[in-house]
Amino acid sequence: MNLLLALLPIAVAAVMLVVLQRSAMQAGLATLATAAIVALLAPPFRLEPGAIWMAAAQGAATALTVLLVLFPGLLLYHLLKTSGAIDVLAGAVARLSPRQPVQVLLLVMGLAPFVESVSGFGVTTVIVVPLLIALGIAPFTAAVLGTLSLMAVPWGALAVGTTLGAQLTGLEPNQLGLYTALVAAPLPACYGLVVLTMLGGWPTLRSWWPLALGAGGLLAAGLALFSLVPGIELAGVLASLLTLAALVGYALLRREATATGTSVTPGRLGVYRAVAPYGLLTLLLLSSRMVGPLRQWLLNNAVLEVPALNLRLPLLYTPGFWVLLACLGAVPLLGLRRAESVAALGRAGRQFWPGAVAVVSFLATAQILFASGMVAELSAVGGIFGSHYAWFAPWIGALGGWITGSNVGGNAMFAPLQAAAGARAGLPLEWLMAAQNGAGSHATMVSPARTVLTAAAAGLAGGEGRLLRAVGPLVLGATVLMMLVVIGV
């Protein structure tokens, strides 16, 4: 009975999103209400009303990290769209290769993992999804492909979640990065094959599967190698750059004299001006992460601290701050007039609020589940299976990633429990934490917070449930695959 009560809020979220096809905002509010009612009325998980409010407030405070990325990300998209920059960049990709599978693989398996490794927090979808749409991909398909492009999530935001998971369990961060890369090694190639299938079914898959397998294998090998040298912070950046360079090289070698892809009129912008905001964002993010003295200064200044809510947020270090600076730089770089900038700001604001409510609701729910003991109840189920606990470790990790929408949050929630359960069962911690880290990271791809961001980038407000139904089975399959790898070793 206790297990069913603990599962009830999660079941409500799944039914609202998948079965009833409600918006993420409606599902988030319903899920939050359900968690609060269970915590208020069910004796095993009872909390005082004040404790429920405090837990919800802690979740809302955690949501700030996502919200500070969501609004600037949407604003950058609208500025680029208003100026025509997205169409110009799509045209440049089309001219690089006339073949749509090559264009899409270049964006999904090359550019996107690089952006995710630098920024994290789903910023990738705001950049990649509009480019896919401009290349002629239907918005919903572009949203699915954009979700799959988050395949480098354990190394997102310079691997901050993986680093936290290692710290919480006493592992060496680079070691955890390597084991995670090994557990998830088949996934990039699998996602590449799915991308081809979505683009054109069997004929496209039959023609281009070697390129997808090659790019996926190169990305996976790079993640494993670079997790050791120079380390997990740069592993995603270097592996994705290697894959991107290989795909660009292939496109240049195979480029035909007459392009037959998307044709875009540059208008008032050239390619270099159109790409300038992305270049500025990448430069700012890399500088803030890789220049040691600057990184330390950013982490220790302009810090929003609320001890009662366990909140310590270095405002100048968050990716959202640098995306906002890129937005400010985009206005003169793209030659936008004041009226155009104001109009873009208004459109971003209208898209932002429903998603913001959803993100806050789901993260507040996560904190109530944790504070009430519902999370402990769910994770304790696996502990009764002894040496067979390896079957359950990836699913516990996936649950944490899905609930919190963050590899950081998922590891913070479940990494200590994984370590304790593994010790009781006598299982190797490295592989259990690789399962936790890998499955949790990939489950964030379909978390409510990330789904809201991706749907907004594709102009599919209210379509989060449809997106979850499309990508959810793929993430479940990825979790099964990681589970089999862990069991096999």
Side-chain angles (χ1 to χ4, degrees):
M1 184 62 182
N2 290 352
L3 178 60
L4 294 178
L5 287 172
L7 283 170
L8 186 58
I10 299 171
V12 168
V15 169
M16 289 286 289
L17 287 169
V18 179
V19 180
L20 301 181
Q21 301 182 35
R22 300 296 183 181
S23 70
M25 182 177 74
Q26 293 172 322
L29 292 172
T31 304
L32 176 59
T34 303
I37 291 171
V38 172
L40 186 65
L41 300 180
F45 309 114
R46 181 166 293 165
L47 292 174
E48 295 298 323
I52 295 175
W53 280 109
M54 179 59 69
Q58 289 174 341
T62 303
L64 279 177
T65 302
V66 179
L67 300 184
L68 289 174
V69 173
L70 178 59
F71 181 76
L74 291 173
L75 177 57
L76 180 60
Y77 160 67
H78 284 291
L79 290 172
L80 292 165
K81 184 176 178 62
T82 299
S83 69
I86 289 176
D87 289 337
V88 172
L89 292 173
V93 174
R95 289 189 296 274
L96 181 64
S97 172
R99 304 300 185 187
Q100 192 179 69
V102 179
Q103 300 166 4
V104 173
L105 288 175
L106 194 150
L107 293 177
V108 172
M109 304 191 71
L111 177 64
F114 171 76
V115 177
E116 178 65 17
S117 298
V118 172
S119 61
F121 301 98
V123 172
T124 303
T125 58
V126 178
I127 294 176
V128 171
V129 170
L131 288 174
L132 291 169
I133 293 174
L135 285 169
I137 308 296
F140 178 74
T141 303
V144 174
L145 297 180
T147 302
L148 295 178
S149 76
L150 299 172
M151 61 186 74
V153 277
W155 295 267
L158 301 180
V160 61
T162 301
T163 300
L164 176 65
Q167 292 173 346
L168 290 173
T169 54
L171 293 174
E172 202 277 322
N174 292 350
Q175 180 189 31
L176 179 56
L178 172 62
Y179 277 84
T180 302
L182 295 176
V183 166
L187 295 182
C190 291
Y191 288 150
L193 297 178
V194 171
V195 166
L196 294 178
T197 304
M198 292 195 65
L199 286 178
W202 170 247
T204 301
L205 180 62
R206 183 179 57 191
S207 299
W208 296 100
W209 66 266
L211 183 61
L213 287 183
L218 188 60
L219 181 61
L223 290 172
L225 174 63
F226 294 128
S227 287
L228 288 177
V229 180
I232 57 170
E233 289 84 359
L234 297 179
V237 173
L238 296 176
S240 56
L241 283 177
L242 180 63
T243 307
L244 181 61
L247 288 168
V248 169
Y250 175 87
L252 290 173
L253 288 173
R254 296 292 301 272
R255 184 167 58 183
E256 297 175 3
T258 302
T260 59
T262 302
S263 177
V264 179
T265 303
R268 69 187 185 188
L269 287 178
V271 173
Y272 291 111
R273 286 183 64 192
V275 80
Y278 291 132
L280 177 62
L281 174 59
T282 301
L283 178 63
L284 291 172
L285 284 168
L286 286 175
S287 299
S288 68
R289 268 65 180 165
M290 297 182 185
V291 179
L294 176 61
R295 181 174 183 269
Q296 290 303 316
W297 189 88
L298 294 171
L299 284 170
N300 295 312
N301 289 275
V303 176
L304 176 62
E305 291 191 83
V306 184
L309 300 179
N310 297 321
L311 175 65
R312 188 183 187 279
L313 184 62
L315 297 174
L316 301 181
Y317 187 76
T318 61
F321 173 73
W322 301 101
V323 178
L324 182 59
L325 287 186
C327 291
L328 295 176
V331 174
L333 287 171
L334 300 175
L336 288 166
R337 294 183 289 271
R338 180 178 179 181
E340 292 174 321
S341 301
V342 171
L345 182 64
R347 287 191 290 270
R350 287 190 292 274
Q351 276 190 283
F352 170 73
W353 288 110
V357 172
V359 170
V360 171
S361 298
F362 278 109
L363 290 179
T365 299
Q367 285 299 320
I368 293 175
L369 295 179
F370 188 77
S372 65
M374 283 183 258
V375 166
E377 178 68 26
L378 293 171
S379 63
V381 174
I384 66 176
F385 292 94
S387 61
H388 297 294
Y389 177 74
W391 290 79
F392 298 92
W395 298 101
I396 292 173
L399 176 63
W402 188 79
I403 290 174
T404 64
S406 162
N407 190 26
V408 173
N411 280 341
M413 183 176 287
F414 283 134
L417 294 173
Q418 295 273 25
R424 290 197 302 270
L427 297 172
L429 179 59
E430 297 87 354
W431 290 107
L432 285 184
M433 272 307 299
Q436 158 73 32
N437 195 44
S441 295
H442 284 266
T444 66
M445 292 162 51
V446 289
S447 68
R450 300 289 178 93
T451 303
V452 166
L453 185 62
T454 304
L460 299 172
E464 296 87 359
R466 184 185 173 199
L467 183 58
L468 178 60
R469 290 196 305 277
V471 186
L474 298 176
V475 173
L476 292 177
T479 305
V480 170
L481 190 56
M482 285 183 275
M483 177 188 72
L484 294 176
V485 172
V486 171
I487 293 170
V489 297

